[in-house]
Amino acid sequence: MPDAFDPLFDELASINAELASVAVRLAALEERQAAVGAGTGESGDGGGPSDRAAGAPVLWWSMGEVQKAALWPEFVAWVVWLSDAYELTTEQLPRQCWWQHASVVEELTALWTSHSSAYASQEDVGASPYLWQDALARAIERVNRNWLGGCVNGFHEPKSRIPFGTDAAYRKVLLEAGPPGDLEPKEPVEPAESAEPPSAVG
């Protein structure tokens, strides 16, 4: 005579087998994530990778403090990894002040998110990392040429300029000026024909 608990035990055995299968898959995913993190600097001092999708844009200025506090250590860990992995010199990325230049942070953030995207893709994996390497070379050149100026001497040197956004009078002039009058391209004007024939030079 069959035991009344046999169907229950069979169901529990099936659930146990499914849980064992999930545990194996989870362990494989964790190993894969650890390997990716070791190669991208997304783990370690930064406290581990965030739940952000690979390649998702990061807009520091629009984030709340909690989100910034969660992402900033991850970003810093990646920049430190990048600097050491690519042996960046102080002339390429001044270690004493890069984070004090908003434009440099934006450039590095774009590199960070695009790196994550390039190496996370399961498709076109040959081209994406190569294109990222090219983007890195161009970005480092821009950082040095356009934004850092005197900071390459080992000290932070703020740019000598008047910020556009803090001058209320300047903003008022811009808003009152409005866009240029007629932005439509104009047809070329044909020269008018003269009513009198040109006089002969004798």
Side-chain angles (χ1 to χ4, degrees), residues 74-114:
E74 187 179 333
F75 170 64
V76 167
W78 184 86
V79 172
V80 169
W81 168 82
L82 175 79
S83 303
D84 290 343
Y86 287 85
E87 300 179 356
L88 299 182
T89 65
T90 300
E91 285 72 28
Q92 293 170 310
L93 185 68
R95 70 188 304 272
Q96 73 280 358
C97 65
W98 63 263
W99 65 93
Q100 296 181 45
H101 298 270
S103 53
V104 175
V105 170
E106 287 295 317
E107 187 82 50
L108 290 170
T109 300
L111 282 173
W112 175 43
T113 57
S114 63

Coordinates of all heavy atoms in Angstrom, one line a residue, residues 74-114:
E74 N 32.6 53.2 -7.0 CA 32.8 52.2 -8.1 C 33.5 52.9 -9.2 O 34.5 52.4 -9.8 CB 31.4 51.8 -8.5 CG 31.4 50.7 -9.6 CD 30.0 50.2 -9.9 OE1 29.1 50.3 -9.1 OE2 29.9 49.8 -11.1
F75 N 33.2 54.2 -9.5 CA 33.8 55.0 -10.6 C 35.3 55.2 -10.2 O 36.2 55.0 -11.1 CB 33.0 56.3 -10.8 CG 33.7 57.3 -11.6 CD1 33.9 57.0 -13.0 CD2 34.1 58.5 -11.1 CE1 34.5 57.9 -13.8 CE2 34.7 59.4 -12.0 CZ 34.9 59.1 -13.3
V76 N 35.5 55.6 -9.0 CA 36.9 55.9 -8.6 C 37.8 54.7 -8.7 O 38.9 54.7 -9.2 CB 36.9 56.5 -7.1 CG1 38.3 56.5 -6.6 CG2 36.3 57.9 -7.1
A77 N 37.2 53.5 -8.3 CA 38.0 52.3 -8.4 C 38.3 52.0 -9.8 O 39.4 51.5 -10.2 CB 37.2 51.1 -7.8
W78 N 37.4 52.3 -10.7 CA 37.6 52.0 -12.2 C 38.7 53.0 -12.7 O 39.6 52.6 -13.5 CB 36.3 52.2 -13.0 CG 36.6 51.8 -14.4 CD1 36.5 50.6 -15.0 CD2 36.9 52.7 -15.5 NE1 36.8 50.7 -16.3 CE2 37.0 52.0 -16.6 CE3 37.1 54.1 -15.5 CZ2 37.3 52.5 -17.9 CZ3 37.4 54.7 -16.8 CH2 37.5 53.9 -17.9
V79 N 38.7 54.3 -12.3 CA 39.6 55.3 -12.8 C 41.0 54.9 -12.3 O 42.0 54.9 -13.0 CB 39.3 56.7 -12.4 CG1 40.4 57.7 -12.7 CG2 38.0 57.1 -13.0
V80 N 41.1 54.4 -11.0 CA 42.4 54.0 -10.5 C 42.9 52.8 -11.3 O 44.1 52.7 -11.6 CB 42.3 53.7 -9.0 CG1 43.5 53.0 -8.5 CG2 42.0 55.0 -8.2
W81 N 42.0 51.8 -11.5 CA 42.4 50.6 -12.3 C 42.9 51.1 -13.7 O 43.9 50.6 -14.2 CB 41.2 49.7 -12.5 CG 41.5 48.6 -13.5 CD1 42.2 47.5 -13.3 CD2 41.1 48.7 -14.9 NE1 42.2 46.8 -14.5 CE2 41.6 47.5 -15.5 CE3 40.3 49.6 -15.6 CZ2 41.3 47.2 -16.8 CZ3 40.1 49.3 -17.0 CH2 40.6 48.1 -17.6
L82 N 42.1 52.0 -14.4 CA 42.5 52.4 -15.7 C 43.9 53.1 -15.7 O 44.7 52.8 -16.5 CB 41.5 53.4 -16.2 CG 41.8 54.1 -17.5 CD1 41.4 53.2 -18.7 CD2 41.0 55.4 -17.6
S83 N 44.1 53.9 -14.7 CA 45.4 54.7 -14.6 C 46.6 53.7 -14.5 O 47.6 53.9 -15.1 CB 45.4 55.6 -13.5 OG 44.3 56.5 -13.6
D84 N 46.4 52.7 -13.6 CA 47.5 51.8 -13.4 C 47.6 50.8 -14.6 O 48.7 50.4 -15.0 CB 47.3 51.0 -12.1 CG 47.5 51.9 -10.9 OD1 48.1 53.0 -11.1 OD2 47.1 51.6 -9.8
A85 N 46.5 50.3 -15.1 CA 46.5 49.3 -16.2 C 47.2 49.9 -17.4 O 47.9 49.2 -18.2 CB 45.1 48.8 -16.5
Y86 N 46.9 51.1 -17.7 CA 47.4 51.8 -18.9 C 48.6 52.7 -18.6 O 49.0 53.4 -19.5 CB 46.3 52.6 -19.6 CG 45.3 51.6 -20.3 CD1 44.2 51.1 -19.5 CD2 45.4 51.3 -21.6 CE1 43.3 50.2 -20.2 CE2 44.5 50.4 -22.2 CZ 43.5 49.9 -21.5 OH 42.6 49.0 -22.1
E87 N 49.1 52.6 -17.4 CA 50.3 53.4 -17.0 C 50.2 54.8 -17.4 O 51.1 55.4 -18.0 CB 51.5 52.7 -17.5 CG 51.7 51.3 -17.1 CD 52.9 50.6 -17.6 OE1 53.6 51.2 -18.5 OE2 53.2 49.4 -17.2
L88 N 49.1 55.4 -17.0 CA 48.9 56.9 -17.4 C 49.8 57.7 -16.5 O 50.0 57.5 -15.3 CB 47.5 57.3 -17.1 CG 46.4 56.6 -17.9 CD1 45.0 57.1 -17.6 CD2 46.7 56.6 -19.4
T89 N 50.5 58.7 -17.2 CA 51.4 59.6 -16.5 C 50.6 60.8 -15.9 O 49.4 61.0 -16.3 CB 52.5 60.1 -17.4 OG1 51.9 60.9 -18.4 CG2 53.2 58.9 -18.0
T90 N 51.2 61.5 -15.0 CA 50.6 62.7 -14.5 C 50.3 63.7 -15.6 O 49.4 64.5 -15.5 CB 51.5 63.4 -13.4 OG1 51.7 62.4 -12.4 CG2 50.9 64.6 -12.8
E91 N 51.1 63.7 -16.7 CA 50.9 64.6 -17.8 C 49.6 64.2 -18.5 O 48.9 65.0 -19.1 CB 52.0 64.6 -18.8 CG 53.3 65.4 -18.3 CD 54.0 64.7 -17.2 OE1 53.9 63.4 -17.1 OE2 54.6 65.4 -16.3
Q92 N 49.2 62.9 -18.5 CA 48.0 62.4 -19.2 C 46.8 62.6 -18.3 O 45.7 62.9 -18.8 CB 48.2 61.0 -19.6 CG 49.3 60.8 -20.7 CD 49.6 59.3 -20.9 OE1 49.9 58.6 -20.0 NE2 49.6 58.9 -22.2
L93 N 46.9 62.3 -17.0 CA 45.8 62.4 -16.1 C 46.4 62.8 -14.7 O 46.8 61.9 -14.0 CB 45.0 61.1 -16.0 CG 43.8 61.2 -15.2 CD1 42.7 62.1 -15.8 CD2 43.2 59.8 -15.0
P94 N 46.4 64.0 -14.4 CA 47.0 64.4 -13.1 C 46.3 63.8 -11.9 O 45.1 64.0 -11.7 CB 46.8 66.0 -13.1 CG 46.7 66.3 -14.5 CD 46.0 65.2 -15.2
R95 N 47.1 62.9 -11.2 CA 46.5 62.2 -10.1 C 46.1 63.1 -8.9 O 45.3 62.7 -8.1 CB 47.5 61.1 -9.7 CG 48.7 61.6 -9.0 CD 49.8 60.5 -8.7 NE 49.2 59.4 -8.0 CZ 49.2 59.3 -6.7 NH1 49.7 60.3 -5.9 NH2 48.8 58.2 -6.1
Q96 N 46.6 64.3 -8.9 CA 46.4 65.1 -7.7 C 45.1 65.9 -7.8 O 44.6 66.5 -6.9 CB 47.5 66.1 -7.5 CG 47.6 67.3 -8.5 CD 48.3 66.9 -9.8 OE1 48.7 65.7 -10.0 NE2 48.3 67.8 -10.8
C97 N 44.4 65.9 -9.0 CA 43.2 66.8 -9.1 C 42.2 66.4 -10.2 O 41.3 67.2 -10.5 CB 43.7 68.2 -9.3 SG 44.5 68.5 -10.9
W98 N 42.3 65.3 -10.9 CA 41.4 65.0 -12.0 C 40.0 65.2 -11.6 O 39.2 65.6 -12.4 CB 41.7 63.6 -12.6 CG 41.5 62.5 -11.7 CD1 42.5 61.8 -11.0 CD2 40.3 61.8 -11.4 NE1 41.9 60.8 -10.2 CE2 40.5 60.8 -10.5 CE3 39.0 62.0 -11.8 CZ2 39.6 59.9 -10.0 CZ3 38.0 61.2 -11.3 CH2 38.3 60.2 -10.4
W99 N 39.6 64.8 -10.4 CA 38.2 64.8 -9.9 C 37.7 66.2 -9.7 O 36.6 66.5 -9.5 CB 38.1 64.0 -8.7 CG 38.8 64.5 -7.5 CD1 38.4 65.4 -6.6 CD2 40.2 64.3 -7.2 NE1 39.4 65.7 -5.7 CE2 40.5 65.1 -6.0 CE3 41.2 63.5 -7.8 CZ2 41.8 65.1 -5.5 CZ3 42.5 63.5 -7.2 CH2 42.7 64.3 -6.1
Q100 N 38.7 67.2 -9.7 CA 38.3 68.6 -9.5 C 37.9 69.3 -10.8 O 37.5 70.5 -10.8 CB 39.4 69.4 -8.8 CG 39.7 68.8 -7.4 CD 40.8 69.6 -6.7 OE1 40.8 70.8 -6.7 NE2 41.7 68.9 -6.1
H101 N 38.0 68.6 -11.9 CA 37.6 69.1 -13.2 C 36.4 68.4 -13.7 O 36.5 67.3 -14.1 CB 38.8 69.0 -14.2 CG 40.0 69.7 -13.8 ND1 40.3 70.9 -14.2 CD2 41.1 69.2 -13.1 CE1 41.5 71.3 -13.7 NE2 42.0 70.3 -13.0
A102 N 35.3 69.1 -13.7 CA 34.0 68.4 -14.0 C 34.1 67.9 -15.4 O 33.5 66.8 -15.7 CB 32.8 69.4 -13.9
S103 N 34.7 68.6 -16.3 CA 34.8 68.1 -17.7 C 35.6 66.8 -17.8 O 35.3 65.9 -18.6 CB 35.4 69.1 -18.6 OG 36.6 69.6 -18.1
V104 N 36.7 66.7 -17.0 CA 37.5 65.5 -17.0 C 36.7 64.3 -16.4 O 36.7 63.2 -16.9 CB 38.8 65.7 -16.2 CG1 39.6 64.4 -16.1 CG2 39.6 66.8 -16.9
V105 N 35.9 64.6 -15.3 CA 35.1 63.6 -14.8 C 34.0 63.1 -15.8 O 33.8 61.9 -15.9 CB 34.4 64.1 -13.5 CG1 33.3 63.1 -13.0 CG2 35.4 64.3 -12.4
E106 N 33.5 64.0 -16.6 CA 32.5 63.6 -17.6 C 33.2 62.7 -18.7 O 32.6 61.7 -19.1 CB 31.9 64.9 -18.3 CG 31.0 65.6 -17.4 CD 29.7 64.8 -17.2 OE1 29.2 64.2 -18.1 OE2 29.3 64.8 -16.0
E107 N 34.4 63.1 -19.1 CA 35.1 62.3 -20.1 C 35.4 60.9 -19.5 O 35.2 59.9 -20.2 CB 36.5 63.0 -20.4 CG 37.2 62.4 -21.6 CD 36.7 62.8 -22.9 OE1 36.5 64.0 -23.2 OE2 36.5 61.9 -23.8
L108 N 35.9 60.8 -18.3 CA 36.2 59.5 -17.7 C 35.0 58.7 -17.5 O 35.0 57.5 -17.6 CB 37.0 59.7 -16.4 CG 38.4 60.3 -16.5 CD1 39.0 60.7 -15.2 CD2 39.3 59.2 -17.2
T109 N 33.9 59.4 -17.1 CA 32.6 58.7 -16.9 C 32.1 58.1 -18.2 O 31.7 56.9 -18.2 CB 31.5 59.6 -16.4 OG1 32.0 60.2 -15.1 CG2 30.2 58.9 -16.1
A110 N 32.3 58.8 -19.3 CA 31.9 58.3 -20.6 C 32.8 57.0 -21.0 O 32.3 56.0 -21.5 CB 32.0 59.3 -21.7
L111 N 34.0 57.1 -20.6 CA 34.9 56.0 -20.9 C 34.5 54.8 -20.0 O 34.5 53.6 -20.5 CB 36.4 56.4 -20.6 CG 37.1 57.2 -21.6 CD1 38.5 57.6 -21.1 CD2 37.3 56.4 -22.9
W112 N 34.2 55.1 -18.8 CA 33.8 54.0 -17.8 C 32.5 53.3 -18.3 O 32.5 52.0 -18.4 CB 33.5 54.6 -16.5 CG 33.0 53.7 -15.4 CD1 33.4 52.5 -15.1 CD2 32.0 54.1 -14.4 NE1 32.7 52.0 -14.0 CE2 31.9 53.0 -13.6 CE3 31.2 55.2 -14.2 CZ2 30.9 52.9 -12.5 CZ3 30.3 55.2 -13.2 CH2 30.2 54.1 -12.3
T113 N 31.5 54.0 -18.7 CA 30.3 53.4 -19.1 C 30.4 52.7 -20.4 O 29.9 51.6 -20.6 CB 29.1 54.4 -19.2 OG1 29.5 55.5 -20.1 CG2 28.8 55.0 -17.8
S114 N 31.2 53.3 -21.3 CA 31.4 52.6 -22.6 C 32.3 51.4 -22.5 O 32.1 50.4 -23.2 CB 32.0 53.6 -23.7 OG 33.3 54.0 -23.3

